[in-house]
């Protein structure tokens, strides 16, 4: 190759590489723009950087440096068997990046095939600097329950499963569990019924049973501390069904604990959720305590279960979520939360912009159908689209597909429209979209959430209806 030809070759190679990098940059930029959320939206599917539904239930969040890490149960739609604990990261608590399966299913043993692994909670040990996942491990029939733990030097994992956490040489044989790290760095295990166990300095064993059982039931325990007062939150026993969560307060972890009632208005069923964790977000101007709840959806736990994250209102011994916020914002620097402002265009269910196919029952408040494959489509131009429904006891699963003007799928999700008590609520909200034309299509799947518990009691929906009450479209900024 002559010197001149070699120079041309280098030039062409540089141009090609730059073009490829530019294309990659545009693709990445588009993906980032598409996936961006501007608030915390409860009760809707969330999507990670790959547009996959975020799967992290029974979760907690731990902040390391300037990043929040979310750990939760990975699920399938086929079984409640353990498939791993997922790890996601975020800078703002709105947008989540899938990092890893922090603790995968083991080849055999207590977290192997056909076992249960639930409610992962991660704490950083002040003494060793290690990260510890605590969890409830069990059989599928819930007859070999214990609190287990796994260890990693890296917050993202991989974590090494060590087996049962021991107290006086024996496992803590309880079901639902949670964790609490006090202001002095001490770690505690919270379990079913209200028992509290203090961890050793290395967080790998228990040194003391701090508190005895408070009451029957009281599952999904979680705790926070404000101004020296402890608030202990738990749930009634109603299988996967939501219920009115309640709480106790005490000046000491050893009690005595005072019953304070419900954390949300009666019959809202804690805004259709069950407690899993409370995250304090400390900022330069204040602190927001964020209630983290799960909206379970059996059997479609992987694709249809969602999250209810709400700011807690705390004053003295009063702790509550008095109003449900569809969308709210949080400044992680200042620690101040606020209701997200909205200038959405509202399209009612009777609007001709909504095109229906199949048999639909229409009223002024909703359109509903239980005919398999019946659907409606909305064509729109906007930055974001949201679907609101009258969820109820006869409702089932809806398939939601968002496509661009060329028919390419942007995101798709399976949405659960069941609720024990009827209420209008947001069930889907898209990521922010670039300026273009889009189509949202929602269809009846002919499937419904229902299940029976260990006592063979039946729960869940009695029908297959899906519902639309209104569509909200956020216009592009001028």
């Amino acid at each position: 190759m002559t010197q001149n030809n070699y120079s041309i070759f280098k030039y062409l190679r540089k141009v090609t590489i730059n073009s490829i990098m530019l294309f990659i940059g545009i693709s990445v930029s588009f993906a980032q723009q598409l996936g961006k959320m501007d608030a915390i939206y409860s009760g809707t599917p969330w999507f990670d950087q790959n547009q996959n539904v975020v799967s992290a239930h029974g979760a907690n969040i731990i902040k390391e440096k300037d990043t929040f890490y979310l750990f939760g149960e990975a699920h399938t739609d086929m079984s409640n068997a353990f498939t791993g604990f997922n790890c996601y990261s975020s800078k703002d608590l709105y947008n989540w990046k899938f990092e890893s399966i922090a603790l995968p299913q083991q080849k055999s043993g207590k977290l192997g095939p056909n076992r249960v692994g639930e409610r992962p909670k991660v704490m950083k040990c002040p003494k060793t600097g290690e990260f510890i996942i605590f969890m409830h491990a069990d059989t599928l029939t819930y007859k070999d329950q214990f609190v287990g733990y796994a260890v990693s030097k890296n917050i993202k994992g991989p974590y090494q499963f060590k087996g049962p956490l021991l107290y006086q040489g024996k496992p803590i044989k309880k079901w639902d569990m949670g964790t609490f790290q006090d202001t002095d760095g001490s770690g505690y295990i919270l379990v079913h019924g209200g028992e509290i166990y203090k961890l050793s300095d290395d967080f790998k064993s228990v040194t003391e049973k701090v508190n005895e059982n408070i009451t029957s039931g009281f599952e999904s325990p979680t705790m926070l501390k404000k101004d020296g007062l402890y608030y202990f939150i738990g749930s009634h026993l109603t299988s996967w069904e939501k219920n009115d969560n309640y709480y106790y307060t005490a000046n000491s972890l050893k009690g005595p604990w005072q019953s304070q009632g419900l954390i949300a208005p009666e019959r809202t069923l804690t805004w259709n959720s069950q407690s899993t964790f409370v995250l304090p977000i400390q900022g330069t101007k204040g602190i927001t305590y964020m209630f983290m709840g799960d909206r379970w959806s059996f059997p479609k736990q992987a694709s249809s279960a969602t999250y209810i994250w709400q700011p807690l209102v705390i004053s003295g011994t009063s702790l509550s979520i008095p109003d449900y916020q569809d969308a709210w914002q949080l400044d992680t620097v200042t620690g101040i939360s606020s209701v997200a402002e909205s200038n959405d265009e509202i399209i009612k269910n009777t609007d001709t912009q909504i095109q229906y196919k199949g048999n639909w029952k229409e009223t002024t408040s909703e359109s509903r159908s239980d005919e398999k494959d019946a659907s409606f489509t909305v064509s729109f131009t906007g930055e974001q689209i949201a679907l609101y429904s009258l969820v109820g006891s006869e409702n089932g699963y809806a398939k939601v597909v968002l496509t661009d003007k060329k028919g390419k799928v942007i995101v798709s999700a399976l949405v659960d429209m069941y609720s024990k008590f009827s209420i209008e609520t947001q069930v889907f909200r898209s990521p922010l979209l670039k300026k273009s034309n889009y189509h949202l299509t929602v269809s009846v799947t002919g499937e419904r959430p229902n299940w029976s518990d260990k006592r063979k009691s039946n729960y869940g929906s009695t029908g297959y209806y899906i519902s639309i009450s209104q569509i909200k479209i956020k216009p592009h900024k001028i």
Side-chain angles (χ1 to χ4, degrees):
M1 182 181 291
T2 65
Q3 181 65 37
N4 187 48
N5 286 340
Y6 181 66
S7 297
I8 294 173
F9 169 76
K10 287 200 301 182
Y11 171 76
L12 291 174
R13 185 178 68 173
K14 181 178 181 181
V15 169
T16 302
I17 291 173
N18 287 342
S19 298
I20 292 172
M21 293 306 294
L22 177 61
F23 174 77
I24 292 172
I26 291 172
S27 299
V28 171
S29 174
F30 176 72
Q32 290 173 342
Q33 179 187 16
L34 180 64
K36 186 179 180 182
M37 301 297 283
D38 58 351
I40 294 174
Y41 295 99
S42 289
T44 68
W46 297 347
F47 302 96
D48 66 14
Q49 80 277 21
N50 301 314
Q51 303 311 316
N52 294 322
V53 172
V54 172
S55 184
H57 292 279
N60 86 316
I61 292 175
I62 178 174
K63 188 177 184 183
E64 180 68 4
K65 297 180 181 178
D66 64 344
T67 303
F68 296 96
Y69 292 90
L70 169 68
F71 294 86
E73 303 167 21
H75 278 286
T76 71
D77 285 342
M78 304 301 293
S79 166
N80 193 44
F82 175 69
T83 59
F85 294 140
N86 286 336
C87 172
Y88 296 84
S89 67
S90 176
K91 299 289 186 180
D92 57 12
L93 296 171
Y94 304 164
N95 301 285
W96 293 96
K97 175 186 176 184
F98 176 76
E99 292 286 356
S100 65
I101 301 178
L103 180 63
Q105 183 192 79
Q106 310 294 285
K107 292 181 180 179
S108 61
K110 298 295 187 179
L111 281 182
N114 298 314
R115 295 282 300 187
V116 165
E118 296 178 334
R119 302 193 172 275
K121 302 291 184 289
V122 176
M123 290 192 290
K124 185 177 183 179
C125 178
K127 180 180 179 180
T128 66
E130 291 179 308
F131 298 92
I132 319 287
I133 295 182
F134 299 93
M135 82 291 292
H136 161 218
D138 215 327
T139 61
L140 284 172
T141 54
Y142 292 89
K143 293 181 178 178
D144 182 32
Q145 69 279 356
F146 64 87
V147 177
Y149 74 105
V151 181
S152 177
K153 292 183 179 180
N154 186 337
I155 191 169
K156 301 176 189 178
Y159 286 76
Q160 299 298 316
F161 181 58
K162 300 295 184 180
L165 184 72
L166 301 181
Y167 172 53
Q168 297 180 343
K170 297 179 181 179
I172 302 171
K173 297 186 71 65
K174 285 283 188 173
W175 294 269
D176 281 10
M177 49 72 59
T179 57
F180 173 70
Q181 195 158 8
D182 212 337
T183 47
D184 64 358
S186 299
Y188 297 87
I189 299 294
L190 319 173
V191 297
H192 203 108
E195 295 176 8
I196 303 174
Y197 294 85
K198 185 175 183 179
L199 293 167
S200 59
D201 288 347
D202 65 3
F203 282 21
K204 296 176 184 177
S205 64
V206 169
T207 60
E208 179 186 1
K209 187 176 184 180
V210 175
N211 192 68
E212 294 291 342
N213 196 75
I214 297 175
T215 183
S216 60
F218 203 65
E219 64 177 358
S220 62
T222 188
M223 185 181 290
L224 67 105
K225 181 183 181 181
K226 183 178 186 294
D227 299 330
L229 188 66
Y230 296 93
Y231 303 78
F232 203 175
I233 301 170
S235 163
H236 295 286
L237 303 180
T238 53
S239 185
W240 298 112
E241 185 62 87
K242 301 83 175 174
N243 60 61
D244 290 322
N245 292 188
Y246 54 105
Y247 75 106
Y248 295 82
T249 58
N251 292 309
S252 167
L253 289 173
K254 296 183 178 181
W257 292 93
Q258 180 68 43
S259 176
Q260 300 291 355
L262 306 181
I263 69 171
E266 189 174 5
R267 289 176 62 86
T268 63
L269 308 183
T270 322
W271 305 113
N272 271 348
S273 75
Q274 182 187 45
S275 59
T276 185
F277 193 69
V278 173
L279 176 69
I281 302 101
Q282 176 70 62
T284 57
K285 295 184 179 180
I287 183 168
T288 291
Y289 293 88
M290 184 175 78
F291 171 85
M292 295 171 58
D294 283 299
R295 186 172 283 179
W296 302 103
S297 180
F298 196 83
K300 305 291 188 181
Q301 298 287 46
S303 52
S304 297
T306 57
Y307 311 91
I308 303 299
W309 290 3
Q310 297 284 299
L312 285 163
V313 177
I314 307 173
S315 177
T317 60
S318 173
L319 177 152
S320 66
I321 313 170
D323 301 295
Y324 180 73
Q325 297 186 22
D326 273 346
W328 61 287
Q329 294 173 322
L330 178 64
D331 188 325
T332 58
V333 175
T334 64
I336 302 298
S337 64
S338 59
V339 177
E341 295 182 2
S342 173
N343 61 341
D344 292 350
E345 171 194 354
I346 296 175
I347 302 172
K348 294 296 293 180
N349 65 295
T350 53
D351 197 293
T352 56
Q353 189 172 340
I354 302 173
Q355 300 295 308
Y356 292 95
K357 289 184 179 180
N359 295 316
W360 289 80
K361 300 176 182 179
E362 184 180 288
T363 68
T364 55
S365 58
E366 71 164 337
S367 297
R368 65 198 300 248
S369 176
D370 64 353
E371 179 184 79
K372 193 175 187 307
D373 298 326
S375 66
F376 66 83
T377 299
V378 183
S379 300
F380 70 98
T381 299
E383 189 175 51
Q384 197 175 43
I385 187 168
L387 167 64
Y388 283 72
S389 296
L390 281 175
V391 297
S393 61
E394 296 182 325
N395 288 7
Y397 291 116
K399 180 70 173 179
V400 179
V401 180
L402 176 65
T403 58
D404 64 15
K405 61 183 179 182
K406 295 181 179 179
K408 180 182 177 182
V409 175
I410 306 300
V411 292
S412 65
L414 200 62
V415 171
D416 184 355
M417 294 188 176
Y418 164 73
S419 173
K420 186 176 180 180
F421 300 127
S422 296
I423 187 173
E424 184 185 28
T425 188
Q426 179 178 230
V427 296
F428 175 85
R429 182 170 286 266
S430 75
L432 298 181
L433 304 165
K434 68 176 185 177
K435 205 163 192 176
S436 187
N437 297 318
Y438 298 94
H439 310 281
L440 184 76
T441 300
V442 183
S443 56
V444 179
T445 65
E447 295 181 288
R448 60 190 172 120
N450 63 347
W451 65 96
S452 60
D453 61 14
K454 289 176 285 188
R455 297 180 296 274
K456 305 300 181 182
S457 300
N458 293 319
Y459 295 88
S461 176
T462 58
Y464 302 95
Y465 283 98
I466 72 168
S467 164
I468 170 178
S469 58
Q470 59 181 318
I471 296 286
K472 291 186 178 182
I473 297 173
K474 179 182 293 185
H476 283 282
K477 297 180 179 67
I478 299 174

